[in-house]
């Protein structure tokens, strides 16, 4: 070992004074965001967990009182709540199912480039770029039985006999589903398109040589190759469907009666209508959270299985 | 089993010819190699035979049946791709079974045929794996197995060894040749590697610039190249080519060498050129016979030891003396700068027209 090696020349040392070190600089960039996150995300997350074990009401002028699992007990023993869960589940399955089929179908149609395919793709993507509240409001106009265009387009040309989609408790759920499918099928299509374009041509050449018919090619090459992205689309859409709120509020506000009272709308009703049961609303929100995490886990496991095969 | 006939088959991309109109008949059981530098149209030709590429004009017959516009699946051919084109999401077994299942073969039959072909290619231990987990050589074996399993009428192979490293290439080359001998199936094989072409082909189709330059056995294209392109392209190094002026039985080479023309060639040159004219003399490195009495002289420019023989690189005497290559016995030693005299084996010398670059015919 060499001893007494000369120290490296100290040429590039910062001048003392008003210089800020890189470390300080990075902290300055990070902390504002962190503080914002803590105040509006992390703190409410834990505070609402605490509230879910209390009888707190945001309008009552008294501090939260610890009542243990009473909120959960009441919620889980309430048939109405179970009904809203079932409704949300039905909505999620039908809506996401339709979006998957329509979105994948559109992607297959738009897969081959043709004159104007770029413009058509962009036009199809417009619905998912709009604000859900805006979508809800203008579909409300379109569903209107006397002057809305929707009935006219689907063939009910006489306003006297045409159905009032949003006021009919059998049709209201379907109205919400139609709008959700209209708005979000393009999202599924977008993911499927990117999945389809990633399939190399030579696989289809090999399949042609191997004498595979169109259906066999679709089943054995296209579908398994797109499956990972298709599942991601389905995962995103399922989570969103379980949280369905803005679109429903814009269209029906949960009505008529409770025909479209999705679980998120119910949370809103508990928290901000009538008695402002903040504690119980928090408890319900946590139940929904647990369900969404569970469902997502099932999907992610399936996704990993598809990827590994 | 199949014969393949190309009649005036042509491929144009816009106004550019990828393949000029070509005729070719491939006999049943024959192993034909399409050989040429990249961009010469050999792969396009193969893809037209397969049906993956449409012809611009001309006809393709398979066993006498016109398949010019038939879909690849209606041609009963198998295609081995350069980069294997295995189905990445399927296991090796599923990859090999794919063509059988696509035809709706029964489960038991699929099991049996996959097992047979796996045994033939010694890949039984790989059947459960995914292609991504395999080496290049094994992936190409799987691709071969997938081609073989259907017992197609003909095999088309597009540089199947191009993506493998040198050592593996030798092994796989032998395996493919052995398979061809066992199966005796008509095979069209594309490569840019002339050594591979010489080693494997019953016949070689040399292509360049979208044009077929020569069709012949490996010996024919090696010893009797049709033109200067084939002479240069085949062999490593290619044929030595020296231009010179023919006068009355003697070719005065550029520089100072004087080469007395063998009698049978003298007649040919006279017939073509009259009393005198410009000509190109061609000879393979092994046609040079080094000896003190040789008619030609050159100085040693460099020597390579090749194990079995020594390759001499000689600089011809005189102005702008060209570098030629000659094979010498490995026991002889040559110093750089030393003058060497040599003769050409009269049976192994060729002459080419200096203008058209086409080979002259010997007159016996």
């Amino acid at each position: 070992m060499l001893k007494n090696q000369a120290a490296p020349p100290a040429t590039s040392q910062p001048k003392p004074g008003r210089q800020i070190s890189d470390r300080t600089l990075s902290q300055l960039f990070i902390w504002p965001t962190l503080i914002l996150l803590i105040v509006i995300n992390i703190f409410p997350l834990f505070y609402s967990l605490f509230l879910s074990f209390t009888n707190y009401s945001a309008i009552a002028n008294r501090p939260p009182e610890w009542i243990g699992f009473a909120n959960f007990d009441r919620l889980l023993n309430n048939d109405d709540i179970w009904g809203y869960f079932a409704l949300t589940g039905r909505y999620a399955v039908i809506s996401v199912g339709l979006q998957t089929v329509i979105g994948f179908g559109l992607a297959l149609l738009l897969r081959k480039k043709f004159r104007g395919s770029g413009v058509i793709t962009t036009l199809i993507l417009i619905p998912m770029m709009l604000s859900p509240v805006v979508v809800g409001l203008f579909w409300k106009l379109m569903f209107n039985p006397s002057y809305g265009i929707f009935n006219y387009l689907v063939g009910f040309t006489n306003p006297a006999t045409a159905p009032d989609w949003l006021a009919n408790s059998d049709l209201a759920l379907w109205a919400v589903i139609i709008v959700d499918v209209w708005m979000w099928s393009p999202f599924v299509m977008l993911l499927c398109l990117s999945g389809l374009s990633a399939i190399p041509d030579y696989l289809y050449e090999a399949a042609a040589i191997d004498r595979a018919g169109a259906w066999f090619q679709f089943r054995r090459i296209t579908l398994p190759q797109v499956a990972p992205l298709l599942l991601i689309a389905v995962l995103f859409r399922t989570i969103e469907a379980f949280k369905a709120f803005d679109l429903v509020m814009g269209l029906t506000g949960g009505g008529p009666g409770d025909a479209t009272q999705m679980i998120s709308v119910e949370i809103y009703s508990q928290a901000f209508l009538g008695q402002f049961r903040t504690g119980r609303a928090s408890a319900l929100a946590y139940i929904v959270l647990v369900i969404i995490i569970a469902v997502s886990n099932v999907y992610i496991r399936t996704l990993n299985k598809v990827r590994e095969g | 089993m199949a014969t393949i006939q190309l009649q005036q088959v042509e491929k144009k991309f816009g106004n550019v010819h990828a393949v000029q109109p070509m005729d070719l008949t491939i006999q049943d059981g024959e192993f034909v190699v399409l050989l040429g530098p990249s961009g010469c149209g050999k792969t396009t030709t193969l893809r037209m035979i397969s049906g993956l590429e449409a012809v611009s004009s001309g006809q393709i017959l398979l066993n006498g049946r016109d398949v010019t516009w038939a879909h690849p699946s209606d041609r009963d051919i198998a295609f081995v791709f350069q980069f294997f084109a295995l189905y990445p999401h399927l296991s090796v077994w599923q990859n090999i079974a794919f063509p059988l299942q696509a035809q709706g073969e029964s489960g038991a039959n699929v099991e049996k045929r996959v097992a047979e072909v796996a045994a033939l290619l010694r890949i039984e231990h790989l059947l459960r794996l995914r292609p991504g987990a395999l080496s290049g050589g094994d992936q190409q074996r799987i691709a071969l197995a997938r081609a073989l399993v259907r017992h197609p009428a003909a095999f088309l192979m597009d540089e199947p060894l191009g993506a493998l490293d040198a050592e593996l290439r030798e092994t796989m080359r032998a395996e493919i040749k052995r398979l061809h001998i066992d199966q005796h199936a008509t095979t069209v094989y594309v490569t840019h590697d002339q050594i591979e072409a010489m080693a494997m082909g019953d016949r070689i189709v040399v292509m360049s610039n979208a044009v077929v330059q020569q069709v012949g056995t490996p010996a024919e294209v090696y010893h009797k190249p049709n033109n200067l392109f084939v002479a240069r392209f085949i062999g490593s190094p290619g044929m030595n080519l020296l231009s010179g002026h023919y006068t009355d039985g003697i070719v005065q080479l550029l520089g100072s060498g004087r080469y007395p023309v063998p009698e049978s060639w003298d007649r040919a040159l006279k017939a073509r050129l009259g009393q005198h004219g410009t000509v190109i003399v061609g000879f393979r490195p092994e046609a040079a016979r080094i000896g003190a009495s040789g008619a030609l002289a050159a100085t040693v420019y460099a020597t390579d030891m090749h194990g079995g023989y020594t390759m001499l690189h000689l600089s011809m005497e005189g102005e702008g003396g060209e570098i030629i290559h000659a094979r010498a016995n490995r026991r002889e030693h040559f110093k750089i700068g030393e003058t060497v005299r040599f003769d050409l084996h009269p049976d192994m010398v060729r002459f080419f027209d200096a203008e058209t670059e086409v080979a002259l015919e010997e007159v016996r």
Side-chain angles (χ1 to χ4, degrees), chain B residues 54-73:
Chain B
V55 301
S56 297
S57 72
Q59 276 193 316
I60 297 171
L61 307 182
L62 207 75
N63 275 335
R65 181 170 71 99
D66 187 345
V67 295
T68 312
W69 296 104
H71 190 261
S73 59

Side-chain angles (χ1 to χ4, degrees), chain B residues 142-280:
Chain B
I142 309 308
L144 282 171
R146 186 177 64 179
L148 281 164
V149 75
R150 218 185 63 217
H151 303 313
F155 290 97
L156 309 177
M157 304 192 184
D158 183 13
E159 306 220 17
L161 309 183
L164 307 180
D165 55 44
E167 196 184 338
L168 204 52
R169 219 156 36 219
E170 300 263 334
T171 319
M172 288 300 293
R173 190 200 288 168
E175 283 187 30
I176 291 178
K177 191 156 188 184
R178 186 58 208 260
L179 272 175
H180 176 250
I181 291 166
D182 291 345
Q183 307 275 320
H184 206 67
T186 312
T187 305
V188 188
Y189 186 104
V190 161
T191 182
H192 64 268
D193 180 350
Q194 46 95 15
I195 298 175
E196 208 169 285
M198 299 286 286
M200 301 184 81
D202 294 329
R203 273 198 302 158
I204 297 177
V205 177
V206 185
M207 293 183 75
S208 162
N209 282 327
V211 178
V212 174
Q213 305 288 335
Q214 185 168 2
V215 181
T217 63
E220 276 167 0
V221 296
Y222 186 78
H223 291 295
K224 294 182 177 172
N226 262 358
N227 55 37
L228 289 186
F229 174 82
V230 180
R232 286 196 195 100
F233 191 73
I234 304 285
S236 77
M239 194 175 254
N240 295 304
L241 298 164
L242 298 170
S243 39
H245 195 82
Y246 169 81
T247 325
D248 204 16
I250 301 284
V251 173
Q252 176 68 51
L253 299 173
L254 286 181
S256 64
R258 281 165 60 82
Y259 173 62
V261 180
E263 218 172 294
S264 60
W265 281 107
D266 195 32
R267 284 194 288 272
L269 290 177
K270 272 214 176 72
R272 173 65 68 101
L273 302 168
Q275 285 310 304
H276 63 94
T278 315
V279 75
I280 293 169

Side-chain angles (χ1 to χ4, degrees), chain A residues 62 66 87 89 93 103 114 133 160 233-234 259 265-266 273 288:
Chain A
R62 55 186 162 80
W66 186 268
L87 179 75
V93 169
F114 54 89
V133 177
V234 170
V265 180
E266 173 65 14
L273 299 176
V288 173

Side-chain angles (χ1 to χ4, degrees), chain A residues 66-188:
Chain A
W66 186 268
I67 53 168
F69 282 94
N71 282 330
F72 293 93
D73 191 39
R74 292 284 284 276
L75 287 167
L76 295 175
N77 285 314
N78 182 331
D79 286 346
D80 282 349
I81 297 289
W82 284 106
Y84 303 147
F85 271 121
L87 179 75
T88 311
R90 197 158 76 229
Y91 166 75
V93 169
I94 298 171
S95 187
V96 174
L98 285 173
Q99 284 166 35
T100 308
V101 172
I102 293 172
F104 195 17
L106 284 173
L108 287 173
L109 288 177
L110 287 168
R111 175 188 202 181
K112 282 250 163 65
K113 293 274 165 274
F114 54 89
R115 228 180 125 82
S117 64
V119 176
I120 291 174
T121 310
T122 314
L123 286 177
I124 291 178
L125 291 179
I126 286 177
M128 63 174 252
M129 300 177 197
L130 302 175
S131 152
V133 177
V134 174
V135 170
L137 284 174
F138 76 66
W139 271 89
K140 212 168 172 176
L141 294 176
M142 295 209 287
F143 278 131
N144 187 295
S146 33
Y147 52 78
I149 197 168
F150 183 79
N151 275 332
Y152 183 78
L153 288 178
V154 297
F156 298 105
T157 46
N158 181 357
T161 58
D164 185 350
W165 289 81
L166 300 176
N168 181 323
S169 57
D170 291 330
L171 293 178
L173 180 66
W174 285 100
V176 179
I177 288 171
I178 287 168
V179 179
D180 196 49
V181 169
W182 175 84
M183 189 170 176
W184 291 108
S185 293
F187 172 76
V188 179

